[in-house]
Amino acid sequence: MSISARITGIGSCLPERVLKNTDLEALVETSDEWIVSRTGIRERRIVDEGQATSHLAKKALSAALTCAGLGPGDIDLLIVGTSSPDMIFPSTACLVQHDLGMSCPSYDVNAACSGFVYALHAGAAAIESHRATRVAVVGADALTRHIDFTDRTTCVLFGDGAGAVILEAGEEAGVLAVSLGADGAGADLLKIPAGGSAAPVTREVLAARTNYLTMNGNEVFRFAVNVIPRATIEALEASGLTVADLDWLVPHQANQRIIRTVEKRLGLPHDRVFSHVDRVGNTSAGSIPLALDDLYTSGRLAPGDLVALVGFGAGLTWGAAVVRWTLARPTKEA
Ligand code: UT7
């Protein structure tokens, strides 16, 4: 019998601390007007002292478990997509697993901002190959820990956050297709050069500030507006569907201009493309599940809707998942 993975629970977490564009005006030579017109971002949430990626991931996963009506002991595999783990090792997944009192195999996936779609691919594959029946898939990042708040070209873009879904095995098709891609030739376009084994943190590294994120924004923009439509169509074709069948596109929330360009290239109506980048900024691997949870809790996602989740990021990596939504609309009390 063919078994499919479907989403039976969803949750998310944003840190409480709000960083507005006007706060950034006090740190670097920028303006609210520049940030809004070039990115669409008005504010983002950032972690406080003492908070790390695992804290956001844990809260998002707890909410997803509650939504699914499951407990931590019901999950038999945990996958966390992140590129800002609490530590180089152990994995953030192991920290979350322990904090929540889970006992399942747990591991991280690093595909930067595509991390959630990569983790979803692995989780769905585990279910389809009968190696797991209930998988928790989390996308979580606290990238502001790796941002140089003296660099105006990057510090205005990023925020922190996490989202999680529960995948369960069933005969009803949920995750219809996941299409992934990578091109390491673009590795230099977006990276944190130091802090890994190639360039451990030294006094020289700290002086040169190479332990912070660097990016060629124009090249990444060009890559994004080409790869998102291509990946979306590829995943739809793998499901035997077309853009006309889509009810929602939930793209990686990096820049409203990227989202708008993609929407036009795919010929999608504006009100079918979800965006809340104005409120959260780019939360990396947290971005897509956070956006999906926002769409779900707002009551706009109906059972039976066809949703495409599409990410791109450092690597370069990209990934698109086509999902038939199977969760009932949230109740008012939820
Ligand atoms: O998850 C994937 C992550 N990355 C992305 O998705 C990023 C994709 N790229 C982008 O979103 C855009 O390229 C940016 C928002 C990063 C930059 O926007 P842009 O319209 O491509 O601007 P630009 O880099 O071409 O810079 C235009 C000008 C430059 O000044 P000059 O050289 O024309 O005098 C920049 O120095 O804007 C300047 N600038 C700023 N000015 C005020 C760059 N950052 C800022 C800033 N405030 N924060």
Side-chain angles (χ1 to χ4, degrees):
M1 184 179 47
S2 122
I3 288 291
S4 177
R6 64 196 173 93
I7 294 175
T8 62
I10 185 162
S12 63
C13 171
L14 283 168
E16 278 176 22
R17 188 167 160 202
V18 178
L19 188 69
K20 292 182 180 295
N21 290 349
T22 44
D23 299 323
L24 287 161
E25 285 175 356
L27 299 177
V28 288
E29 188 69 37
T30 192
S31 65
D32 177 51
E33 192 278 327
W34 191 95
I35 302 170
V36 173
S37 64
R38 301 292 180 119
T39 73
I41 301 166
R42 292 179 187 277
E43 62 181 45
R44 68 289 290 143
R45 302 293 190 91
I46 63 169
V47 287
D48 250 319
E49 285 311 310
Q51 285 183 317
T53 299
S54 68
H55 302 121
L56 306 176
K58 186 178 89 175
K59 285 190 175 168
L61 179 49
S62 282
L65 285 167
T66 304
C67 175
L70 297 174
D74 296 321
I75 298 299
D76 45 28
L77 177 64
L78 166 61
I79 310 171
V80 177
T82 186
S83 55
S84 53
D86 289 27
M87 294 172 263
I88 288 180
F89 65 80
S91 69
T92 297
C94 283
L95 304 177
V96 172
Q97 183 241 36
H98 177 67
D99 274 358
L100 286 180
M102 302 164 88
S103 54
C104 59
S106 305
Y107 64 90
D108 287 359
V109 166
N110 180 348
C113 302
S114 313
F116 176 76
V117 182
Y118 266 66
L120 189 72
H121 179 266
I127 286 178
E128 288 156 8
S129 60
H130 299 258
R131 285 182 167 80
T133 52
R134 285 174 177 151
V135 182
V137 177
V138 185
D141 268 309
L143 262 194
T144 64
R145 290 289 199 210
H146 302 287
I147 296 298
D148 182 351
F149 279 93
T150 67
D151 175 7
R152 70 174 182 176
T153 68
T154 53
C155 76
V156 301
L157 304 173
F158 295 92
D160 304 326
V165 299
I166 306 299
L167 296 178
E168 290 193 63
E171 288 168 44
E172 194 184 351
V175 180
L176 304 185
V178 188
S179 161
L180 303 180
D183 179 9
D188 281 338
L189 296 178
L190 179 50
K191 62 182 178 180
I192 299 176
S197 57
V201 175
T202 58
R203 214 170 290 168
E204 290 72 30
V205 160
L206 294 177
R209 305 182 82 81
T210 49
N211 54 314
Y212 291 118
L213 181 149
T214 64
M215 179 174 66
N216 180 331
N218 293 311
E219 285 298 322
V220 174
F221 192 104
R222 228 188 311 278
F223 157 67
V225 296
N226 286 316
V227 87
I228 298 176
R230 186 154 49 84
T232 307
I233 290 168
E234 215 172 274
L236 281 165
E237 281 176 358
S239 322
L241 297 162
T242 70
V243 172
D245 296 307
L246 268 187
D247 293 295
W248 287 101
L249 177 73
V250 181
H252 171 42
Q253 307 285 303
N255 182 323
Q256 186 56 32
R257 279 164 54 220
I258 293 177
I259 295 173
R260 199 84 172 106
T261 307
V262 163
E263 172 186 311
K264 285 189 188 140
R265 288 194 179 178
L266 284 171
L268 281 165
H270 183 58
D271 62 359
R272 296 279 110 184
V273 180
F274 184 79
S275 174
H276 65 175
V277 71
D278 59 324
R279 286 181 282 126
V280 299
N282 181 345
T283 57
S284 191
S287 163
I288 289 175
L290 260 168
L292 187 63
D293 190 36
D294 200 351
L295 179 63
Y296 169 67
T297 50
S298 72
R300 281 175 284 168
L301 208 46
D305 276 358
L306 190 73
V307 189
L309 312 171
V310 195
F312 67 92
L316 298 168
T317 56
W318 59 92
V322 173
V323 172
R324 182 71 68 190
W325 193 252
T326 44
L327 262 178
R329 287 184 204 270
T331 52
K332 284 229 169 66
E333 307 79 64

